[in-house]
């Protein structure tokens, strides 16, 4: 069953699930200027104003065809030890449908995460498929790892405060993120958003979820400090944990 407000697009080389108001724009993105078929990721990579974003695999921020709406387009991709072997191939229907489902659930529960505009599967009906995911661009955002690598006290303090609010919202929602790391927290000057939500489980007990998410994020922060020289100390990590608990206490 399709989520409310989304529709299915059936094409010769792909099947897409898209928000109804941008479905035609998504359809247009899957046909090249010469009329040949292309993938959503290929459209994004060839766009004259595409902005390449840092992360695992090539991710592009672009405008959809004949639209002012800017989106971020990326492949679904395996991580871990087998990532270089399995690459972009998943058993049908890939992770993309679950990512949309979890994203919609999180937004209803008050957890900030970029809205998923569409996903596209290739080829239609295949046992193994690739998928591209298209989400709304959060203007002026950077991930937590970038901020900790470059910015000073004021920016870092604001980033940690917004991260505490985000981690608290995950606990309230019972959302355990099994790969909560410094690259999966996107920040603006006002708030933090969680990424890679297909790696979440919902329905957990808040205290257990909080402990698990804080432990995973703490490991990531130490990795970025030890391997990449990020400006984060054990005191910073402890204060982030304490700040998250204070946010939860205020809300209770």
């Amino acid at each position: 069953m399709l989520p409310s407000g989304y529709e299915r697009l059936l094409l010769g080389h792909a099947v897409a699930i898209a928000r109804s108001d941008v479905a035609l724009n998504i359809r247009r993105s899957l046909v090249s200027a010469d009329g040949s078929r292309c993938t959503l990721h290929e459209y994004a990579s060839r766009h004259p104003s595409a902005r390449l974003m840092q992360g695992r695999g090539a991710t592009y921020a672009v405008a959809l065809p004949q639209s002012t709406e800017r989106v971020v387009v990326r492949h679904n991709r395996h991580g871990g030890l087998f990532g270089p072997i399995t690459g972009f191939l998943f058993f049908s229907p890939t992770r993309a449908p679950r990512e949309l489902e979890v994203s919609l659930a999180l937004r209803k529960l008050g957890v900030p995460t970029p809205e998923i505009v569409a996903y596209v599967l290739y080829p239609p009906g295949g046992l193994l498929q690739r998928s591209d995911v298209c989400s709304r661009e959060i203007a002026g955002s950077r991930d937590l790892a970038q901020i900790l690598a470059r910015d000073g006290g004021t920016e870092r303090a604001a980033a940690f405060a917004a991260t505490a609010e985000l981690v608290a919202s995950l606990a309230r929602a019972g959302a355990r993120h099994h790969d909560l790391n410094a690259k999966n927290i996107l920040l603006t000057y006002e708030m933090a958003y969680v990424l890679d939500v297909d790696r979440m489980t919902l329905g957990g007990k808040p205290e257990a979820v909080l402990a698990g998410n804080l432990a995973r994020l703490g490991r990531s922060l130490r990795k970025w400090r030890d391997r990449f020289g990020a400006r984060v100390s054990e005191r910073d990590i402890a204060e982030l944990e304490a700040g998250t608990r204070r946010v939860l206490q205020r809300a209770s």
Side-chain angles (χ1 to χ4, degrees):
M1 180 181 295
L2 292 179
S4 176
Y6 287 76
E7 61 185 75
R8 188 185 309 273
L9 306 175
L10 300 176
L11 304 102
H13 68 305
V15 57
I17 305 298
R19 211 177 61 198
S20 297
D21 61 319
V22 297
L24 182 58
N25 309 95
I26 294 294
R27 182 182 289 275
R28 288 170 175 152
S29 74
L30 297 172
V31 180
S32 298
D34 61 3
S36 62
R37 298 168 176 175
C38 68
T39 69
L40 184 59
H41 196 268
E42 287 169 343
Y43 160 79
S45 68
R46 298 168 184 170
H47 197 284
S49 66
R51 178 167 60 89
L52 180 62
M53 305 177 74
Q54 297 299 315
R56 190 176 62 211
T59 299
Y60 299 94
V62 297
L64 288 174
Q66 300 182 30
S67 171
T68 58
E69 180 155 12
R70 289 191 61 82
V71 296
V72 174
V73 178
R74 58 182 168 79
H75 292 306
N76 266 151
R77 174 187 181 116
H78 289 281
L81 293 175
F82 295 102
I85 300 172
T86 51
F88 306 119
L89 288 174
F90 292 82
F91 285 111
S92 177
T94 79
R95 290 177 177 166
R98 171 165 174 76
E99 185 167 355
L100 175 58
E101 177 186 356
V102 173
S103 174
L104 291 171
L106 289 174
R107 289 166 64 83
K108 287 182 180 179
L109 292 167
V111 177
T113 187
E115 179 185 17
I116 294 180
V117 173
Y119 65 81
V120 189
L121 307 177
Y122 325 87
L127 176 62
L128 294 176
Q129 292 181 313
R130 292 175 294 120
S131 58
D132 294 334
V133 177
C134 173
S135 57
R136 184 171 62 87
E137 181 183 19
I138 305 298
S141 60
R142 292 182 295 167
D143 63 51
L144 181 58
Q146 290 175 297
I147 291 173
L148 295 179
R150 302 175 188 174
D151 290 339
T154 302
E155 292 82 2
R156 288 171 71 257
F160 277 126
T163 299
E165 295 280 352
L166 175 65
V167 178
S169 74
L170 290 171
R172 286 193 296 269
R176 174 75 167 89
H177 197 315
H178 298 279
D179 191 24
L180 187 62
N181 62 62
K183 297 294 289 183
N184 283 340
I185 296 176
L186 192 66
L187 293 133
T188 66
Y189 288 109
E190 299 173 346
M191 64 190 305
Y193 300 79
V194 66
L195 306 179
D196 281 2
V197 300
D198 60 305
R199 303 182 188 195
M200 283 191 178
T201 53
L202 302 178
K205 295 182 178 180
E207 186 57 38
V209 165
L210 177 64
N213 285 341
L214 285 173
R216 179 64 186 86
L217 181 56
R219 291 197 298 273
S220 172
L221 294 175
R222 293 181 180 96
K223 171 184 172 181
W224 280 91
R225 177 193 65 199
D226 297 343
R227 294 188 185 181
F228 307 111
R231 300 174 184 178
V232 57
S233 66
E234 288 299 316
R235 180 177 178 179
D236 291 326
I237 296 171
E239 289 182 350
L240 172 62
E241 294 179 358
T244 303
R245 294 185 184 278
R246 285 195 297 270
V247 172
L248 280 173
Q249 288 172 357
R250 288 201 305 266
S252 61

